[in-house]
Amino acid sequence: MPYHHTIAGTRYAFPDLKTLLARATPARSGDQLADIAAGSASERVAAQMALADLPLRTLLDEPVIPYEDDDVTRLILDGHDTVAFAPIASLTVGGFRDVLLAEGTPETLADLRPGLTPEMAAAVSKIMRLQDLVAVAAKCRVTTAFRNTIGLPGRLSVRLQPNHPVDDPRGVAAATLDGLLMGAGDAVIGVNPATDSVATTTTLLHMLDTVRDRYGIPTQTCVLAHVTTTLRCIAAGAPVDLVFQSIGGTEATNRAFGVTLPLLHEARDAALSLRRGTAGQNVMYFETGQGSALSAGAHHGVDQQTIEARAYAVARAFQPLLVNTVVGFIGPEYLYDGKQIIRAGLEDHFCGKLLGLPMGVDVCYTNHAEADQDDMDALLTLLGVAGVTYVMGVPGADDVMLSYQSTSFHDALYLRGVLGLRPAPEFEAWLDRMGLAAATPERIPMQLSPALVGLA
């Protein structure tokens, strides 16, 4: 159905819900590239005001992608909990924002999750200021576990990302040691392989598992190969802790990634069958990012932020240990500059946490974007205040294999230090036992611990 709003005598009309959502989205280059963005600031404000008056129930009744055309839409609608939705069923999007800000508590927000759709989360985020996104996300509590417990209040975990341009195990081991010495690695020690093959993946899995086992590190390891590669590694007896996959918010996007929902179920079942977790059995690790659907020609005319939120419905169905929005990685075609990256990172984190996901953010940018490390410092700090579950730890903040700029081990120490945050409890206890209690900048170890000299 059409929607409209009048500002200063000018009537703005929006023919359908997906157009309204797109026009209401804060400015970003990806929506402009797709020719669905608001044509002016006035049109954007008109769309936001019309969206604020929209009944939440409309987002259930009018799917942005038809039910019969898309398995993610079917996943969202078939799994919707009407009982959990009932307390907010009479609200508008604007009324929902008011409730989240004024009345939402960790307990009430958790109760609402099964009744929320990604489109509801995306819609309310579009009429929020940055401080609103921070304030509500900070009230969301999401806890997961494998060999340690992630997401507890007052904690900040770090993915140790020891990538290497030719997958040299010695180079990966050296970067792993660097991160462990600075308190990184409690989210996961996760390597992006330069070569997605069973042989490379298996070699790295065995090396990381040997290090983890030898030093009794209460964490999980992962080689971020394609899910089909990981399934073959599991069949060959490799020590797989977590199954990784990039996912998107439409069936066609996931096909472009080479995955389907049944394949993800198969992978989760295979990982669960290994029973390698000791603190819990959350075995999946997903990465997402605004713009992936548009780059695959699979966005159905829906704005990139709403599509991103729909990816979280896919993730939620598999009870992951970790979800990570790689916010600035795809490039300036989708998020042009630091301002757009900051906004998108806070939106993604808010939507994911609101929907019940253990959200991390790769605070990052490519070298041809109009962004720099000052922008990343600002987003990192805002995310810390918002209660981000984990961030990336990349040696020197410069990924030598993926060729993009992220956050370093020192950046994670800064955030823990200024906000008084600590690692996952099991990992923190291990750091203390090893004499590596690098939870704050003042305690960065300057020498190798004797217990870890064998890694060097």
Side-chain angles (χ1 to χ4, degrees):
M1 63 174 287
Y3 303 91
H4 60 85
H5 193 85
T6 300
I7 295 181
T10 301
R11 186 176 187 271
Y12 295 90
F14 313 100
D16 52 33
L17 182 57
K18 69 180 180 182
T19 302
L20 176 64
L21 290 167
R23 301 292 196 271
T25 305
R28 63 206 56 197
S29 53
D31 292 338
Q32 293 167 345
L33 179 65
D35 198 25
I36 59 175
S40 65
S42 295
E43 184 183 18
R44 182 173 298 110
V45 170
Q48 289 172 337
M49 295 179 74
L51 184 60
D53 291 336
L54 184 79
L56 273 180
R57 188 176 293 279
T58 304
L59 294 158
L60 274 175
D61 296 339
E62 298 181 31
V64 293
I65 302 174
Y67 183 92
E68 60 274 14
D69 294 345
D70 186 81
D71 64 1
V72 176
T73 298
R74 294 192 289 274
L75 177 71
I76 292 167
L77 296 181
D78 292 349
H80 184 253
D81 188 328
T82 57
V83 174
F85 180 58
I88 57 172
S90 64
L91 296 178
T92 62
V93 173
F96 182 41
R97 171 188 173 275
D98 293 342
V99 166
L100 291 175
L101 288 168
E103 302 175 27
T105 67
E107 295 74 23
T108 60
L109 293 177
D111 290 342
L112 283 177
R113 288 170 191 161
L116 298 177
T117 68
E119 290 83 357
M120 294 176 192
V124 75
S125 74
K126 295 175 193 297
I127 61 169
M128 285 180 151
R129 298 170 59 185
L130 295 190
Q131 67 174 249
D132 297 341
L133 298 172
V134 169
V136 177
K139 296 190 284 188
C140 296
R141 299 279 184 264
V142 182
T143 304
T144 57
F146 189 76
R147 286 199 188 90
N148 57 32
T149 309
I150 295 170
L152 293 169
R155 306 280 176 169
L156 172 70
S157 293
V158 183
R159 171 189 161 187
L160 202 171
Q161 185 170 307
N163 295 345
H164 191 276
V166 295
D167 294 327
D168 183 348
R170 294 171 300 175
V172 172
T176 299
L177 171 61
D178 189 17
L180 290 171
L181 287 170
M182 288 190 246
D186 51 338
V188 65
I189 302 174
V191 181
N192 297 91
T195 303
D196 192 327
S197 69
V198 172
T200 296
T201 301
T202 299
T203 296
L204 293 174
L205 283 169
H206 279 291
M207 185 275 290
L208 292 173
D209 193 59
T210 298
V211 171
R212 181 201 59 77
D213 184 64
R214 178 177 178 182
Y215 298 101
I217 308 171
T219 192
Q220 34 286 330
T221 64
C222 184
V223 177
L224 282 68
H226 191 269
V227 63
T228 54
T229 303
T230 303
L231 277 169
R232 292 167 65 193
C233 292
I234 290 175
V240 172
D241 289 344
L242 306 181
V243 175
F244 166 82
Q245 184 55 48
S246 295
I247 57 172
T250 71
E251 181 178 356
T253 307
N254 288 321
R255 280 202 308 266
F257 284 131
V259 298
T260 62
L261 299 183
L263 178 61
L264 294 176
H265 280 293
E266 178 187 349
R268 180 172 182 268
D269 289 344
L272 285 171
S273 73
L274 302 179
R275 302 197 64 80
R276 291 174 59 82
T278 54
Q281 291 297 324
N282 298 113
V283 296
M284 301 299 284
Y285 175 15
F286 295 118
E287 285 191 352
T288 67
Q290 289 192 31
S292 60
L294 177 58
S295 67
H299 64 296
H300 295 268
V302 181
D303 70 272
Q304 66 184 41
Q305 191 254 333
T306 299
I307 292 290
E308 172 71 6
R310 284 169 55 93
Y312 304 152
V314 177
R316 184 167 64 171
F318 297 94
Q319 301 172 23
L321 179 76
L322 305 167
V323 179
N324 174 36
T325 170
V326 192
V327 65
F329 181 74
I330 302 181
E333 300 84 356
Y334 306 97
L335 296 169
Y336 178 72
D337 57 14
K339 182 178 178 67
Q340 291 187 12
I341 291 171
I342 289 169
R343 172 82 199 188
L346 292 173
E347 288 170 347
D348 294 352
H349 178 255
F350 163 83
C351 289
K353 290 291 284 293
L354 190 64
L355 293 168
L357 291 176
M359 285 302 295
V361 179
D362 191 342
V363 178
C364 64
Y365 63 99
T366 57
N367 288 318
H368 61 309
E370 292 294 322
D372 58 27
Q373 288 300 140
D374 284 343
D375 297 314
M376 300 306 101
D377 285 347
L379 177 54
L380 179 68
T381 305
L382 287 166
L383 286 166
V385 176
V388 69
T389 301
Y390 69 104
V391 296
M392 304 301 112
V394 176
D398 186 357
D399 194 295
V400 296
M401 193 278 283
L402 292 173
S403 297
Y404 79 116
Q405 308 303 310
S406 184
T407 49
S408 69
F409 307 134
H410 294 82
D411 293 331
L413 288 174
Y414 146 76
L415 198 59
R416 283 176 175 164
V418 296
L419 297 179
L421 302 171
R422 296 154 60 191
E426 301 90 341
F427 191 81
E428 182 180 37
W430 178 80
L431 290 172
D432 285 336
R433 290 196 303 272
M434 300 297 285
L436 297 172
T440 68
E442 292 77 17
R443 300 171 71 185
I444 296 175
M446 300 308 295
Q447 297 178 340
L448 298 180
S449 164
L452 287 177
V453 166
L455 279 174

